[in-house]
Each structure stands twice: as C-alpha cells, then as structure tokens.
Amino acid sequence: MEEFDVIVIGGGMIGLAFTLELSRKKNFKIAIIEAKECNPKVSSSFHTRVSAITPSSKDFLSSINVWDDIKRKQGFVATKVWDQNSHGSLNFYAKDEGIEHLGFIVENDLIQSALYKAIDQTKVQVIHAKLNDLIKTDFGYQITLDNGQSFLCKLVVGADGPKSKVRSLAGIEVSSNDYQQKAIIANICLLYTFRAHETKANLVCRLLLEKKKKKKKKNTKKKKQKQKKKGTKDRRTQNLRVTNKITM
C-alpha cells in the first residue's frame, strides 16, 4: 500500500493553495484527492463566481508566486455596508488606511487555474477519485477511495468544502443556522463611464444631452413611420375610390 506524508482531500482553491505552500516549505510526499478536474477551463468572459481577495491574501498568493499569474484582477478602493432595517451604514476607504486598494475581486476559476499550474510544476500527485472511507491507525490514517485504491498517510487535510466527507468520517460535529437570506450574483455592464478629467457634473450633463438626442432620434423615427403609414393608407383610399368609379 502506497504511503504519503500528507494527503489533501479536495483540489479546490483552498486545497491547492495549502498544498502548494506546504510543498515549498517541506520536502513531503503529498497527494491531492479530487474527483473533478482541478484545472478549470478559463472563459474569455467574466465568471459570476468570484472572491474578494484582501491585501493579506494577496500577499500570501504573491509569496507562493501565483498572484502575477492571475489575470483580470479588479481592485476596489471603497466599500459600504448597510442594513435595510436600519439607517446606519459603514464606509471604508483605501486612502484612509494609506493603501492603494482595499482588496481585489477575482474570479475563482482564474485563482484555481493559476494554483494548479504552479502545483503541476511540483512532485505533488493528483488522484482523481472520491473519498470512500477514513480509518485512524497507530501511525496515521488509512484512506480508501471509490475506485478501490487505498493509501496510508501521517496527516489527512480536509479541504473538501462545506459538506466535507472528511469531517463526516472523522465524526467532527458542526452546527449551522439558516438566515433565510438570498443573494443575487451578476456581472454588470456599464453603459457609461467617466472620461479623463470629467467631473460628476459634466458626466450628468453629457448623459442628459445623450438622452435628449436619443429621444429626439426616436421621435423622428416614429414620425417617419406614421407618415409612411399615413401615405400607404391614403394610397389605398385613393385606389378604392378609383375602383368604385370604374364599377359604377
């Protein structure tokens, strides 16, 4: 039976990041168990599954040489927190903290893809299977996968999400609360953006002028359609009169 120092259950962002950090600091024999593909296909369009990366998380990703390989990082400089049931709110600004950004919004697929490419350069083994059983031994753990394979290891790391099989097999209790809340996640396409050195007042004026032009263009189009429709109706009436004269 093959033995490892560490087996990580879960090949998502957390599992890959932990494994990459551990492999850089320790000369351990490590395996990742993940049923799905660890290297997601990166789309040219924005994905709705994103993470807010704090400056400390950015520093961590930089320390394992992954941050620069992540594309489409959108930094934000301010954030506002409020409750619909009260009039209070909290405002945070990067300038007040003396930093350039409060954080970055990054697509999960991009983070995971960059992590996987880094893992691919190490000796870490990625085994595509599901965890079936976990047994504590005198020297560590024995894990059995759904494909029939079994492995021994000194340490098992559960990074398999909120419905963790590792947690369940290890008998670790968990409590949860349903807050009866829902969230809408979407990508927003801005129709208007600030131009260089444009003030808010200038932007409002420009938008009003553009709106006025669009309305004028729309009214002109409607007027032409009415005239065309009226002309067609007049020709039909004229043809009907001529037909009646001929019949009489």
mmCIF file of all heavy atoms in Angstrom, residues 53-104:
data_model
loop_
_atom_site.group_PDB
_atom_site.id
_atom_site.type_symbol
_atom_site.label_atom_id
_atom_site.label_comp_id
_atom_site.label_asym_id
_atom_site.label_seq_id
_atom_site.Cartn_x
_atom_site.Cartn_y
_atom_site.Cartn_z
ATOM 1 N N ILE A 53 -10.453 39.282 -2.533
ATOM 2 C CA ILE A 53 -9.112 38.987 -2.013
ATOM 3 C C ILE A 53 -8.606 40.184 -1.220
ATOM 4 O O ILE A 53 -8.451 41.280 -1.760
ATOM 5 C CB ILE A 53 -8.143 38.667 -3.168
ATOM 6 C CG1 ILE A 53 -8.674 37.491 -3.995
ATOM 7 C CG2 ILE A 53 -6.755 38.359 -2.625
ATOM 8 C CD1 ILE A 53 -8.846 36.215 -3.218
ATOM 9 N N THR A 54 -8.346 39.977 0.056
ATOM 10 C CA THR A 54 -7.835 41.039 0.929
ATOM 11 C C THR A 54 -6.342 41.246 0.667
ATOM 12 O O THR A 54 -5.692 40.385 0.054
ATOM 13 C CB THR A 54 -8.039 40.677 2.409
ATOM 14 O OG1 THR A 54 -7.265 39.496 2.693
ATOM 15 C CG2 THR A 54 -9.507 40.413 2.704
ATOM 16 N N PRO A 55 -5.783 42.360 1.122
ATOM 17 C CA PRO A 55 -4.340 42.582 0.949
ATOM 18 C C PRO A 55 -3.486 41.462 1.528
ATOM 19 O O PRO A 55 -2.458 41.098 0.947
ATOM 20 C CB PRO A 55 -4.111 43.907 1.682
ATOM 21 C CG PRO A 55 -5.409 44.643 1.532
ATOM 22 C CD PRO A 55 -6.452 43.570 1.647
ATOM 23 N N SER A 56 -3.895 40.888 2.671
ATOM 24 C CA SER A 56 -3.116 39.803 3.271
ATOM 25 C C SER A 56 -3.179 38.538 2.413
ATOM 26 O O SER A 56 -2.180 37.817 2.274
ATOM 27 C CB SER A 56 -3.616 39.501 4.684
ATOM 28 O OG SER A 56 -4.983 39.140 4.677
ATOM 29 N N SER A 57 -4.341 38.277 1.805
ATOM 30 C CA SER A 57 -4.469 37.123 0.906
ATOM 31 C C SER A 57 -3.658 37.346 -0.364
ATOM 32 O O SER A 57 -3.063 36.403 -0.907
ATOM 33 C CB SER A 57 -5.937 36.882 0.550
ATOM 34 O OG SER A 57 -6.677 36.496 1.683
ATOM 35 N N LYS A 58 -3.640 38.590 -0.818
ATOM 36 C CA LYS A 58 -2.820 38.930 -1.989
ATOM 37 C C LYS A 58 -1.346 38.681 -1.689
ATOM 38 O O LYS A 58 -0.602 38.129 -2.515
ATOM 39 C CB LYS A 58 -3.034 40.384 -2.363
ATOM 40 C CG LYS A 58 -2.191 40.833 -3.554
ATOM 41 C CD LYS A 58 -1.922 42.315 -3.511
ATOM 42 C CE LYS A 58 -0.864 42.675 -4.510
ATOM 43 N NZ LYS A 58 -0.084 43.836 -4.168
ATOM 44 N N ASP A 59 -0.906 39.080 -0.480
ATOM 45 C CA ASP A 59 0.486 38.866 -0.078
ATOM 46 C C ASP A 59 0.817 37.370 -0.025
ATOM 47 O O ASP A 59 1.918 36.954 -0.402
ATOM 48 C CB ASP A 59 0.745 39.510 1.283
ATOM 49 C CG ASP A 59 0.696 41.032 1.225
ATOM 50 O OD1 ASP A 59 0.821 41.583 0.111
ATOM 51 O OD2 ASP A 59 0.524 41.657 2.293
ATOM 52 N N PHE A 60 -0.150 36.571 0.457
ATOM 53 C CA PHE A 60 0.062 35.124 0.524
ATOM 54 C C PHE A 60 0.218 34.542 -0.875
ATOM 55 O O PHE A 60 1.136 33.751 -1.143
ATOM 56 C CB PHE A 60 -1.096 34.441 1.245
ATOM 57 C CG PHE A 60 -1.094 32.945 1.101
ATOM 58 C CD1 PHE A 60 -0.144 32.173 1.759
ATOM 59 C CD2 PHE A 60 -2.024 32.318 0.288
ATOM 60 C CE1 PHE A 60 -0.129 30.788 1.615
ATOM 61 C CE2 PHE A 60 -2.018 30.936 0.140
ATOM 62 C CZ PHE A 60 -1.069 30.165 0.804
ATOM 63 N N LEU A 61 -0.673 34.930 -1.788
ATOM 64 C CA LEU A 61 -0.614 34.418 -3.163
ATOM 65 C C LEU A 61 0.667 34.879 -3.866
ATOM 66 O O LEU A 61 1.215 34.165 -4.706
ATOM 67 C CB LEU A 61 -1.847 34.869 -3.947
ATOM 68 C CG LEU A 61 -3.173 34.234 -3.509
ATOM 69 C CD1 LEU A 61 -4.352 34.904 -4.198
ATOM 70 C CD2 LEU A 61 -3.170 32.728 -3.804
ATOM 71 N N SER A 62 1.132 36.054 -3.494
ATOM 72 C CA SER A 62 2.402 36.545 -4.048
ATOM 73 C C SER A 62 3.571 35.729 -3.507
ATOM 74 O O SER A 62 4.530 35.442 -4.230
ATOM 75 C CB SER A 62 2.604 38.025 -3.702
ATOM 76 O OG SER A 62 1.615 38.831 -4.304
ATOM 77 N N SER A 63 3.493 35.351 -2.228
ATOM 78 C CA SER A 63 4.584 34.606 -1.592
ATOM 79 C C SER A 63 4.763 33.216 -2.199
ATOM 80 O O SER A 63 5.856 32.644 -2.144
ATOM 81 C CB SER A 63 4.347 34.493 -0.090
ATOM 82 O OG SER A 63 3.276 33.601 0.193
ATOM 83 N N ILE A 64 3.688 32.652 -2.776
ATOM 84 C CA ILE A 64 3.804 31.336 -3.418
ATOM 85 C C ILE A 64 3.872 31.481 -4.942
ATOM 86 O O ILE A 64 3.636 30.526 -5.685
ATOM 87 C CB ILE A 64 2.640 30.400 -3.009
ATOM 88 C CG1 ILE A 64 1.275 31.031 -3.336
ATOM 89 C CG2 ILE A 64 2.715 30.059 -1.535
ATOM 90 C CD1 ILE A 64 0.080 30.116 -3.035
ATOM 91 N N ASN A 65 4.180 32.719 -5.393
ATOM 92 C CA ASN A 65 4.423 33.024 -6.819
ATOM 93 C C ASN A 65 3.227 32.702 -7.720
ATOM 94 O O ASN A 65 3.387 32.142 -8.815
ATOM 95 C CB ASN A 65 5.658 32.264 -7.316
ATOM 96 C CG ASN A 65 6.912 32.650 -6.561
ATOM 97 O OD1 ASN A 65 7.109 33.808 -6.212
ATOM 98 N ND2 ASN A 65 7.761 31.667 -6.287
ATOM 99 N N VAL A 66 2.037 33.064 -7.246
ATOM 100 C CA VAL A 66 0.822 32.795 -8.019
ATOM 101 C C VAL A 66 0.118 34.077 -8.440
ATOM 102 O O VAL A 66 -0.499 34.140 -9.505
ATOM 103 C CB VAL A 66 -0.148 31.905 -7.198
ATOM 104 C CG1 VAL A 66 -1.524 31.841 -7.849
ATOM 105 C CG2 VAL A 66 0.420 30.500 -7.044
ATOM 106 N N TRP A 67 0.226 35.134 -7.628
ATOM 107 C CA TRP A 67 -0.539 36.359 -7.850
ATOM 108 C C TRP A 67 -0.327 36.947 -9.244
ATOM 109 O O TRP A 67 -1.288 37.344 -9.913
ATOM 110 C CB TRP A 67 -0.176 37.395 -6.787
ATOM 111 C CG TRP A 67 -0.941 38.686 -6.914
ATOM 112 C CD1 TRP A 67 -0.477 39.894 -7.326
ATOM 113 C CD2 TRP A 67 -2.338 38.873 -6.646
ATOM 114 N NE1 TRP A 67 -1.478 40.830 -7.316
ATOM 115 C CE2 TRP A 67 -2.637 40.226 -6.906
ATOM 116 C CE3 TRP A 67 -3.363 38.030 -6.205
ATOM 117 C CZ2 TRP A 67 -3.906 40.759 -6.747
ATOM 118 C CZ3 TRP A 67 -4.641 38.567 -6.047
ATOM 119 C CH2 TRP A 67 -4.887 39.908 -6.320
ATOM 120 N N ASP A 68 0.900 37.002 -9.707
ATOM 121 C CA ASP A 68 1.183 37.602 -11.011
ATOM 122 C C ASP A 68 0.634 36.783 -12.171
ATOM 123 O O ASP A 68 0.496 37.289 -13.293
ATOM 124 C CB ASP A 68 2.699 37.793 -11.195
ATOM 125 C CG ASP A 68 3.256 38.871 -10.281
ATOM 126 O OD1 ASP A 68 2.472 39.734 -9.838
ATOM 127 O OD2 ASP A 68 4.469 38.840 -9.999
ATOM 128 N N ASP A 69 0.337 35.506 -11.927
ATOM 129 C CA ASP A 69 -0.205 34.645 -12.986
ATOM 130 C C ASP A 69 -1.726 34.698 -13.062
ATOM 131 O O ASP A 69 -2.323 34.075 -13.943
ATOM 132 C CB ASP A 69 0.233 33.192 -12.747
ATOM 133 C CG ASP A 69 1.732 33.011 -12.902
ATOM 134 O OD1 ASP A 69 2.335 33.767 -13.690
ATOM 135 O OD2 ASP A 69 2.298 32.132 -12.227
ATOM 136 N N ILE A 70 -2.346 35.415 -12.134
ATOM 137 C CA ILE A 70 -3.809 35.550 -12.143
ATOM 138 C C ILE A 70 -4.196 36.744 -13.012
ATOM 139 O O ILE A 70 -3.751 37.861 -12.782
ATOM 140 C CB ILE A 70 -4.353 35.747 -10.710
ATOM 141 C CG1 ILE A 70 -4.007 34.540 -9.843
ATOM 142 C CG2 ILE A 70 -5.873 35.945 -10.736
ATOM 143 C CD1 ILE A 70 -4.387 34.719 -8.387
ATOM 144 N N LYS A 71 -5.038 36.505 -13.983
ATOM 145 C CA LYS A 71 -5.466 37.569 -14.891
ATOM 146 C C LYS A 71 -6.768 38.207 -14.375
ATOM 147 O O LYS A 71 -7.457 37.668 -13.524
ATOM 148 C CB LYS A 71 -5.699 37.000 -16.290
ATOM 149 C CG LYS A 71 -4.481 36.285 -16.869
ATOM 150 C CD LYS A 71 -4.818 35.622 -18.178
ATOM 151 C CE LYS A 71 -3.632 34.839 -18.722
ATOM 152 N NZ LYS A 71 -3.963 34.119 -19.968
ATOM 153 N N ARG A 72 -7.086 39.357 -14.944
ATOM 154 C CA ARG A 72 -8.343 40.052 -14.649
ATOM 155 C C ARG A 72 -8.555 40.278 -13.156
ATOM 156 O O ARG A 72 -9.553 39.849 -12.576
ATOM 157 C CB ARG A 72 -9.530 39.311 -15.249
ATOM 158 C CG ARG A 72 -9.529 39.237 -16.757
ATOM 159 C CD ARG A 72 -10.902 38.924 -17.319
ATOM 160 N NE ARG A 72 -11.438 37.664 -16.935
ATOM 161 C CZ ARG A 72 -11.556 36.599 -17.741
ATOM 162 N NH1 ARG A 72 -11.107 36.660 -18.969
ATOM 163 N NH2 ARG A 72 -12.101 35.488 -17.316
ATOM 164 N N LYS A 73 -7.629 40.968 -12.534
ATOM 165 C CA LYS A 73 -7.778 41.337 -11.120
ATOM 166 C C LYS A 73 -8.384 42.735 -11.049
ATOM 167 O O LYS A 73 -7.809 43.685 -11.559
ATOM 168 C CB LYS A 73 -6.416 41.302 -10.419
ATOM 169 C CG LYS A 73 -5.744 39.951 -10.443
ATOM 170 C CD LYS A 73 -4.452 39.951 -9.677
ATOM 171 C CE LYS A 73 -3.326 40.628 -10.414
ATOM 172 N NZ LYS A 73 -2.720 39.781 -11.445
ATOM 173 N N GLN A 74 -9.539 42.865 -10.425
ATOM 174 C CA GLN A 74 -10.235 44.147 -10.332
ATOM 175 C C GLN A 74 -10.117 44.696 -8.907
ATOM 176 O O GLN A 74 -10.761 44.193 -7.985
ATOM 177 C CB GLN A 74 -11.708 43.994 -10.717
ATOM 178 C CG GLN A 74 -11.935 43.375 -12.095
ATOM 179 C CD GLN A 74 -11.394 44.245 -13.206
ATOM 180 O OE1 GLN A 74 -11.467 45.462 -13.133
ATOM 181 N NE2 GLN A 74 -10.849 43.626 -14.243
ATOM 182 N N GLY A 75 -9.280 45.710 -8.715
ATOM 183 C CA GLY A 75 -9.108 46.291 -7.396
ATOM 184 C C GLY A 75 -10.252 47.226 -7.029
ATOM 185 O O GLY A 75 -10.845 47.863 -7.906
ATOM 186 N N PHE A 76 -10.594 47.305 -5.747
ATOM 187 C CA PHE A 76 -11.615 48.258 -5.293
ATOM 188 C C PHE A 76 -11.038 49.118 -4.178
ATOM 189 O O PHE A 76 -10.221 48.663 -3.376
ATOM 190 C CB PHE A 76 -12.912 47.560 -4.860
ATOM 191 C CG PHE A 76 -12.757 46.560 -3.753
ATOM 192 C CD1 PHE A 76 -12.909 46.935 -2.423
ATOM 193 C CD2 PHE A 76 -12.474 45.228 -4.038
ATOM 194 C CE1 PHE A 76 -12.782 46.011 -1.393
ATOM 195 C CE2 PHE A 76 -12.341 44.295 -3.011
ATOM 196 C CZ PHE A 76 -12.496 44.687 -1.690
ATOM 197 N N VAL A 77 -11.454 50.381 -4.152
ATOM 198 C CA VAL A 77 -10.870 51.353 -3.217
ATOM 199 C C VAL A 77 -11.841 51.779 -2.117
ATOM 200 O O VAL A 77 -11.455 52.494 -1.198
ATOM 201 C CB VAL A 77 -10.380 52.604 -3.979
ATOM 202 C CG1 VAL A 77 -9.271 52.238 -4.945
ATOM 203 C CG2 VAL A 77 -11.532 53.281 -4.727
ATOM 204 N N ALA A 78 -13.087 51.357 -2.218
ATOM 205 C CA ALA A 78 -14.078 51.739 -1.199
ATOM 206 C C ALA A 78 -15.139 50.659 -1.074
ATOM 207 O O ALA A 78 -15.399 49.916 -2.021
ATOM 208 C CB ALA A 78 -14.724 53.069 -1.555
ATOM 209 N N THR A 79 -15.736 50.593 0.088
ATOM 210 C CA THR A 79 -16.836 49.655 0.300
ATOM 211 C C THR A 79 -17.807 50.240 1.319
ATOM 212 O O THR A 79 -17.403 50.998 2.209
ATOM 213 C CB THR A 79 -16.319 48.278 0.774
ATOM 214 O OG1 THR A 79 -17.428 47.369 0.885
ATOM 215 C CG2 THR A 79 -15.654 48.378 2.128
ATOM 216 N N LYS A 80 -19.083 49.905 1.141
ATOM 217 C CA LYS A 80 -20.119 50.419 2.025
ATOM 218 C C LYS A 80 -20.956 49.258 2.533
ATOM 219 O O LYS A 80 -21.324 48.367 1.767
ATOM 220 C CB LYS A 80 -21.009 51.422 1.288
ATOM 221 C CG LYS A 80 -22.092 52.044 2.158
ATOM 222 C CD LYS A 80 -22.867 53.114 1.396
ATOM 223 C CE LYS A 80 -23.897 53.793 2.279
ATOM 224 N NZ LYS A 80 -24.634 54.863 1.566
ATOM 225 N N VAL A 81 -21.232 49.268 3.839
ATOM 226 C CA VAL A 81 -22.019 48.206 4.461
ATOM 227 C C VAL A 81 -23.246 48.839 5.119
ATOM 228 O O VAL A 81 -23.110 49.814 5.866
ATOM 229 C CB VAL A 81 -21.196 47.454 5.532
ATOM 230 C CG1 VAL A 81 -22.013 46.311 6.117
ATOM 231 C CG2 VAL A 81 -19.887 46.945 4.945
ATOM 232 N N TRP A 82 -24.429 48.314 4.812
ATOM 233 C CA TRP A 82 -25.634 48.848 5.431
ATOM 234 C C TRP A 82 -26.667 47.742 5.611
ATOM 235 O O TRP A 82 -26.577 46.673 5.029
ATOM 236 C CB TRP A 82 -26.219 49.991 4.587
ATOM 237 C CG TRP A 82 -26.859 49.556 3.306
ATOM 238 C CD1 TRP A 82 -28.165 49.273 3.089
ATOM 239 C CD2 TRP A 82 -26.193 49.349 2.051
ATOM 240 N NE1 TRP A 82 -28.372 48.903 1.779
ATOM 241 C CE2 TRP A 82 -27.186 48.948 1.129
ATOM 242 C CE3 TRP A 82 -24.875 49.471 1.612
ATOM 243 C CZ2 TRP A 82 -26.875 48.657 -0.201
ATOM 244 C CZ3 TRP A 82 -24.577 49.178 0.296
ATOM 245 C CH2 TRP A 82 -25.566 48.785 -0.595
ATOM 246 N N ASP A 83 -27.652 48.036 6.425
ATOM 247 C CA ASP A 83 -28.727 47.097 6.733
ATOM 248 C C ASP A 83 -30.034 47.732 6.299
ATOM 249 O O ASP A 83 -30.313 48.888 6.626
ATOM 250 C CB ASP A 83 -28.733 46.802 8.239
ATOM 251 C CG ASP A 83 -29.740 45.711 8.611
ATOM 252 O OD1 ASP A 83 -30.552 45.338 7.748
ATOM 253 O OD2 ASP A 83 -29.708 45.237 9.757
ATOM 254 N N GLN A 84 -30.844 46.970 5.587
ATOM 255 C CA GLN A 84 -32.101 47.524 5.090
ATOM 256 C C GLN A 84 -33.075 47.871 6.214
ATOM 257 O O GLN A 84 -34.002 48.658 6.035
ATOM 258 C CB GLN A 84 -32.760 46.535 4.129
ATOM 259 C CG GLN A 84 -33.233 45.252 4.802
ATOM 260 C CD GLN A 84 -34.009 44.351 3.864
ATOM 261 O OE1 GLN A 84 -34.280 44.719 2.729
ATOM 262 N NE2 GLN A 84 -34.382 43.182 4.337
ATOM 263 N N ASN A 85 -32.861 47.303 7.403
ATOM 264 C CA ASN A 85 -33.774 47.541 8.522
ATOM 265 C C ASN A 85 -33.324 48.672 9.430
ATOM 266 O O ASN A 85 -33.912 48.895 10.487
ATOM 267 C CB ASN A 85 -33.923 46.256 9.335
ATOM 268 C CG ASN A 85 -34.552 45.143 8.515
ATOM 269 O OD1 ASN A 85 -35.476 45.375 7.747
ATOM 270 N ND2 ASN A 85 -34.041 43.929 8.671
ATOM 271 N N SER A 86 -32.244 49.364 9.063
ATOM 272 C CA SER A 86 -31.781 50.477 9.887
ATOM 273 C C SER A 86 -31.243 51.579 8.987
ATOM 274 O O SER A 86 -31.071 51.397 7.787
ATOM 275 C CB SER A 86 -30.692 50.016 10.853
ATOM 276 O OG SER A 86 -29.519 49.671 10.148
ATOM 277 N N HIS A 87 -30.977 52.732 9.582
ATOM 278 C CA HIS A 87 -30.470 53.872 8.820
ATOM 279 C C HIS A 87 -28.952 53.991 8.918
ATOM 280 O O HIS A 87 -28.348 54.864 8.313
ATOM 281 C CB HIS A 87 -31.114 55.170 9.335
ATOM 282 C CG HIS A 87 -32.611 55.197 9.185
ATOM 283 N ND1 HIS A 87 -33.231 55.264 7.955
ATOM 284 C CD2 HIS A 87 -33.608 55.121 10.118
ATOM 285 C CE1 HIS A 87 -34.548 55.263 8.127
ATOM 286 N NE2 HIS A 87 -34.803 55.174 9.425
ATOM 287 N N GLY A 88 -28.330 53.126 9.683
ATOM 288 C CA GLY A 88 -26.883 53.188 9.860
ATOM 289 C C GLY A 88 -26.132 52.547 8.708
ATOM 290 O O GLY A 88 -26.670 51.708 7.980
ATOM 291 N N SER A 89 -24.886 52.946 8.517
ATOM 292 C CA SER A 89 -24.037 52.354 7.490
ATOM 293 C C SER A 89 -22.577 52.551 7.863
ATOM 294 O O SER A 89 -22.236 53.415 8.676
ATOM 295 C CB SER A 89 -24.317 52.994 6.123
ATOM 296 O OG SER A 89 -23.962 54.369 6.133
ATOM 297 N N LEU A 90 -21.722 51.735 7.274
ATOM 298 C CA LEU A 90 -20.290 51.831 7.483
ATOM 299 C C LEU A 90 -19.608 52.053 6.141
ATOM 300 O O LEU A 90 -19.975 51.424 5.140
ATOM 301 C CB LEU A 90 -19.746 50.540 8.117
ATOM 302 C CG LEU A 90 -20.221 50.217 9.535
ATOM 303 C CD1 LEU A 90 -19.735 48.824 9.932
ATOM 304 C CD2 LEU A 90 -19.692 51.257 10.515
ATOM 305 N N ASN A 91 -18.644 52.947 6.125
ATOM 306 C CA ASN A 91 -17.912 53.248 4.900
ATOM 307 C C ASN A 91 -16.421 53.043 5.135
ATOM 308 O O ASN A 91 -15.879 53.499 6.148
ATOM 309 C CB ASN A 91 -18.161 54.692 4.450
ATOM 310 C CG ASN A 91 -19.615 54.925 4.083
ATOM 311 O OD1 ASN A 91 -20.066 54.543 3.013
ATOM 312 N ND2 ASN A 91 -20.368 55.544 4.987
ATOM 313 N N PHE A 92 -15.780 52.363 4.205
ATOM 314 C CA PHE A 92 -14.353 52.119 4.293
ATOM 315 C C PHE A 92 -13.688 52.622 3.014
ATOM 316 O O PHE A 92 -14.193 52.385 1.908
ATOM 317 C CB PHE A 92 -14.059 50.634 4.471
ATOM 318 C CG PHE A 92 -14.683 50.032 5.701
ATOM 319 C CD1 PHE A 92 -15.918 49.408 5.633
ATOM 320 C CD2 PHE A 92 -14.036 50.095 6.929
ATOM 321 C CE1 PHE A 92 -16.507 48.855 6.757
ATOM 322 C CE2 PHE A 92 -14.621 49.543 8.065
ATOM 323 C CZ PHE A 92 -15.846 48.929 7.982
ATOM 324 N N TYR A 93 -12.549 53.322 3.167
ATOM 325 C CA TYR A 93 -11.827 53.865 2.020
ATOM 326 C C TYR A 93 -10.348 53.495 2.116
ATOM 327 O O TYR A 93 -9.748 53.592 3.198
ATOM 328 C CB TYR A 93 -11.968 55.379 1.952
ATOM 329 C CG TYR A 93 -13.403 55.842 1.847
ATOM 330 C CD1 TYR A 93 -14.112 56.244 2.989
ATOM 331 C CD2 TYR A 93 -14.054 55.868 0.621
ATOM 332 C CE1 TYR A 93 -15.426 56.653 2.897
ATOM 333 C CE2 TYR A 93 -15.380 56.281 0.529
ATOM 334 C CZ TYR A 93 -16.057 56.672 1.658
ATOM 335 O OH TYR A 93 -17.367 57.071 1.574
ATOM 336 N N ALA A 94 -9.781 53.102 0.989
ATOM 337 C CA ALA A 94 -8.380 52.699 0.961
ATOM 338 C C ALA A 94 -7.461 53.844 1.361
ATOM 339 O O ALA A 94 -6.469 53.645 2.069
ATOM 340 C CB ALA A 94 -8.020 52.194 -0.437
ATOM 341 N N LYS A 95 -7.812 55.060 0.958
ATOM 342 C CA LYS A 95 -6.959 56.210 1.259
ATOM 343 C C LYS A 95 -6.855 56.468 2.759
ATOM 344 O O LYS A 95 -5.839 56.966 3.251
ATOM 345 C CB LYS A 95 -7.480 57.454 0.541
ATOM 346 C CG LYS A 95 -8.875 57.887 0.950
ATOM 347 C CD LYS A 95 -9.325 59.115 0.180
ATOM 348 C CE LYS A 95 -10.727 59.565 0.620
ATOM 349 N NZ LYS A 95 -11.175 60.763 -0.131
ATOM 350 N N ASP A 96 -7.936 56.131 3.500
ATOM 351 C CA ASP A 96 -7.907 56.321 4.948
ATOM 352 C C ASP A 96 -6.948 55.352 5.637
ATOM 353 O O ASP A 96 -6.465 55.612 6.742
ATOM 354 C CB ASP A 96 -9.308 56.136 5.536
ATOM 355 C CG ASP A 96 -10.273 57.230 5.077
ATOM 356 O OD1 ASP A 96 -9.784 58.292 4.650
ATOM 357 O OD2 ASP A 96 -11.493 57.011 5.138
ATOM 358 N N GLU A 97 -6.699 54.223 4.964
ATOM 359 C CA GLU A 97 -5.797 53.214 5.517
ATOM 360 C C GLU A 97 -4.381 53.356 4.956
ATOM 361 O O GLU A 97 -3.486 52.586 5.313
ATOM 362 C CB GLU A 97 -6.334 51.803 5.209
ATOM 363 C CG GLU A 97 -7.738 51.531 5.729
ATOM 364 C CD GLU A 97 -7.826 51.652 7.237
ATOM 365 O OE1 GLU A 97 -6.861 51.257 7.904
ATOM 366 O OE2 GLU A 97 -8.855 52.144 7.738
ATOM 367 N N GLY A 98 -4.223 54.315 4.041
ATOM 368 C CA GLY A 98 -2.907 54.526 3.454
ATOM 369 C C GLY A 98 -2.479 53.432 2.497
ATOM 370 O O GLY A 98 -1.286 53.163 2.328
ATOM 371 N N ILE A 99 -3.464 52.783 1.865
ATOM 372 C CA ILE A 99 -3.155 51.716 0.908
ATOM 373 C C ILE A 99 -3.818 52.029 -0.434
ATOM 374 O O ILE A 99 -4.740 52.846 -0.518
ATOM 375 C CB ILE A 99 -3.629 50.342 1.414
ATOM 376 C CG1 ILE A 99 -5.128 50.381 1.765
ATOM 377 C CG2 ILE A 99 -2.814 49.911 2.626
ATOM 378 C CD1 ILE A 99 -5.677 49.037 2.241
ATOM 379 N N GLU A 100 -3.342 51.379 -1.473
ATOM 380 C CA GLU A 100 -3.860 51.639 -2.820
ATOM 381 C C GLU A 100 -5.233 51.015 -3.032
ATOM 382 O O GLU A 100 -6.116 51.615 -3.639
ATOM 383 C CB GLU A 100 -2.878 51.103 -3.869
ATOM 384 C CG GLU A 100 -3.258 51.467 -5.296
ATOM 385 C CD GLU A 100 -2.238 50.982 -6.313
ATOM 386 O OE1 GLU A 100 -1.221 50.368 -5.909
ATOM 387 O OE2 GLU A 100 -2.451 51.205 -7.527
ATOM 388 N N HIS A 101 -5.422 49.777 -2.541
ATOM 389 C CA HIS A 101 -6.701 49.075 -2.690
ATOM 390 C C HIS A 101 -7.116 48.433 -1.370
ATOM 391 O O HIS A 101 -6.266 47.994 -0.592
ATOM 392 C CB HIS A 101 -6.595 47.975 -3.755
ATOM 393 C CG HIS A 101 -6.325 48.484 -5.137
ATOM 394 N ND1 HIS A 101 -5.068 48.462 -5.702
ATOM 395 C CD2 HIS A 101 -7.147 49.042 -6.069
ATOM 396 C CE1 HIS A 101 -5.128 48.969 -6.918
ATOM 397 N NE2 HIS A 101 -6.373 49.336 -7.156
ATOM 398 N N LEU A 102 -8.420 48.376 -1.145
ATOM 399 C CA LEU A 102 -8.939 47.634 -0.003
ATOM 400 C C LEU A 102 -8.894 46.134 -0.278
ATOM 401 O O LEU A 102 -8.848 45.324 0.640
ATOM 402 C CB LEU A 102 -10.379 48.035 0.302
ATOM 403 C CG LEU A 102 -10.599 49.399 0.963
ATOM 404 C CD1 LEU A 102 -12.085 49.654 1.133
ATOM 405 C CD2 LEU A 102 -9.887 49.475 2.308
ATOM 406 N N GLY A 103 -8.924 45.795 -1.542
ATOM 407 C CA GLY A 103 -8.897 44.393 -1.936
ATOM 408 C C GLY A 103 -9.077 44.257 -3.427
ATOM 409 O O GLY A 103 -9.065 45.251 -4.168
ATOM 410 N N PHE A 104 -9.276 43.021 -3.873
ATOM 411 C CA PHE A 104 -9.439 42.738 -5.295
ATOM 412 C C PHE A 104 -10.559 41.723 -5.483
ATOM 413 O O PHE A 104 -10.702 40.791 -4.690
ATOM 414 C CB PHE A 104 -8.149 42.161 -5.892
ATOM 415 C CG PHE A 104 -6.972 43.092 -5.820
ATOM 416 C CD1 PHE A 104 -6.216 43.188 -4.656
ATOM 417 C CD2 PHE A 104 -6.625 43.883 -6.904
ATOM 418 C CE1 PHE A 104 -5.133 44.045 -4.575
ATOM 419 C CE2 PHE A 104 -5.552 44.749 -6.833
ATOM 420 C CZ PHE A 104 -4.799 44.827 -5.675
#
